[in-house]
Amino acid sequence: AKKNGRNGYCFFTAEMQARTARHMQIVGALRQALQLGQMTVHYQPQFAAADGRIVGAEALLRWQHPTLGAVSPAEFIPAAEESGLILALGEWVLRTAVRQAKDWLDGGMAPLVMAVNLSAVQFRHPNLPDLIKAILGEVGLAPEYLELELTESGAMHDPPSAIAVMNKLREQGVRMSIDDFGTGYSSLSYLKKFKVYKLKIDQSFVRDISTDPEDKAIVVAIINMAKGLGLQTIAEGVETPAQLEFLRQQGCDEMQGYHYSRPLAAAQFEAFARARSGT
Ligand code: C2E
Ligand code: CA
Ligand code: CA
Ligand code: CA
């Protein structure tokens, strides 16, 4: 118990205790998850708004644990970041996704850009540009087929360092996109300095785009600003034809969401993409 002000003590509630226990259980289980083969990567297709072609795939980590069940990345990624395990996990995702992109390309599928989520912890690690270069070299994939998604807050944590890392990655030929755009605190002037390629409009704005005039205004503003700065835009969380139609009319370049497809295991993705493109 902890001394709490003038009128006594506050105790951990049963709920707080359960939450802490679950967190510790997750960190413990995460340590072995890779070695035990519990991790897989799923791929969600990204579509060109103009003609509906598949132009990219986002790699999304999946964890199936024998007793915890399927644990959501929204829960285990923060635990992996706090414990430092994200570095090993993130490297594994990068290597797996880059290999997959290479296999698909070699297998004659229509070329697509593989988008991989980067944790801010990975992004801040001084070895990141060398690691990316090494993985691409080892696999033999050209850098223009890799795109790195970094959240707006990850980029804004230390803008001068972020700019230096982005410059380096760009020199290596790798594209960067800003994930969850609109939810962070980007100073718009930094957008010019960040050498990013694409803004990913957060799904929280897309959700009510057909009914909420404010969300509509925000999305229109993001798309027009991106055009002015020469940046590509992709909308995430596109679930309905009405959302898709609005985004297309406004000139959003790419779409991703359940309206088109959920994230798919590699074999399902391949079947889906080949059927659509006739390859
Ligand atoms: P995110 O990067 O913003 O990824 C988008 C999330 O939205 C994914 O959830 C995806 O499955 C989900 N989604 C896609 N389309 C729709 C839709 O139409 N409607 C709705 N409601 N949701 C949709 P997921 O796979 O559970 O991942 C959650 C978050 O976990 C990701 O958010 C990302 O921040 C993180 N994450 C996942 N995999 C990785 C990874 O390999 N590395 C890192 N650092 N983070 C990851
Ligand atoms: Ca993402
Ligand atoms: Ca996102
Ligand atoms: Ca998100």
Side-chain angles (χ1 to χ4, degrees):
K2 191 174 157 236
K3 192 96 169 80
N4 181 22
R6 95 189 130 81
N7 52 7
Y9 294 86
C10 92
F11 292 87
F12 281 110
T13 62
E15 195 204 323
M16 282 164 73
Q17 228 164 47
R19 231 186 295 145
T20 309
R22 164 120 180 140
H23 180 81
M24 283 165 60
Q25 202 180 7
I26 282 180
V27 172
L30 259 183
R31 278 183 214 292
Q32 313 175 60
L34 274 183
Q35 290 88 314
L36 295 177
Q38 295 165 356
M39 293 286 176
T40 51
V41 179
H42 280 202
Y43 301 91
Q44 189 175 30
Q46 301 177 327
F47 297 80
D51 57 10
R53 264 182 323 123
I54 296 179
V55 288
E58 179 178 7
L60 294 158
L61 201 47
R62 294 290 177 262
W63 181 20
Q64 184 68 39
H65 185 271
T67 54
L68 295 168
V71 187
S72 160
E75 184 174 13
F76 73 77
I77 294 285
E81 287 174 329
E82 282 167 41
S83 59
L85 292 167
I86 191 68
L87 289 174
L89 216 49
E91 180 173 342
W92 182 81
V93 175
L94 270 166
R95 191 167 273 114
T96 303
V98 165
R99 278 191 190 140
Q100 188 61 75
K102 169 75 172 162
D103 282 355
W104 282 337
L105 207 54
D106 288 352
M109 270 168 69
L112 53 82
V113 174
M114 181 62 76
V116 179
N117 291 286
L118 266 195
S119 157
V121 176
Q122 288 174 280
F123 185 69
R124 271 179 241 152
H125 194 282
N127 188 42
L128 181 77
D130 287 344
L131 176 69
I132 304 269
K133 191 183 246 176
I135 291 174
L136 289 169
E138 145 202 328
V139 173
L141 184 73
E144 62 262 32
Y145 293 116
L146 178 63
E147 185 172 289
L148 301 171
E149 295 192 1
L150 176 68
T151 59
E152 193 179 0
S153 49
M156 289 307 295
H157 173 75
D158 175 3
S161 317
I163 291 168
V165 177
M166 287 179 185
N167 281 339
K168 206 157 187 185
L169 289 168
R170 183 183 217 157
E171 280 163 24
Q172 290 177 202
V174 174
R175 296 172 180 180
M176 295 271 324
S177 69
I178 300 287
D179 205 352
D180 301 349
F181 189 79
T183 60
Y185 303 92
S186 288
S187 143
L188 294 181
S189 67
Y190 275 120
L191 266 188
K192 212 172 78 175
K193 298 189 182 128
F194 287 155
K195 297 288 185 253
V196 302
Y197 179 80
K198 194 185 280 180
L199 301 181
K200 195 159 190 185
I201 303 169
D202 191 68
Q203 56 188 52
S204 62
F205 302 115
V206 173
R207 192 174 308 128
D208 299 323
I209 212 175
S210 315
T211 49
D212 185 327
E214 286 166 0
D215 287 345
K216 215 177 247 189
I218 290 170
V219 168
V220 171
I222 292 175
I223 293 171
N224 289 326
M225 178 186 64
K227 278 191 201 307
L229 293 170
L231 304 176
Q232 298 274 112
T233 46
I234 180 168
E236 66 179 356
V238 179
E239 295 183 349
T240 69
Q243 292 165 342
L244 162 66
E245 204 35 57
F246 179 79
L247 288 158
R248 204 184 353 227
Q249 272 169 17
Q250 296 304 320
C252 185
D253 299 301
E254 294 176 11
M255 313 279 166
Q256 178 181 347
Y258 295 166
H259 171 69
Y260 293 93
S261 170
R262 295 190 170 251
L264 303 168
Q268 273 83 53
F269 183 101
E270 178 169 346
F272 179 82
R274 284 189 189 278
R276 268 185 90 104
S277 64
T279 56

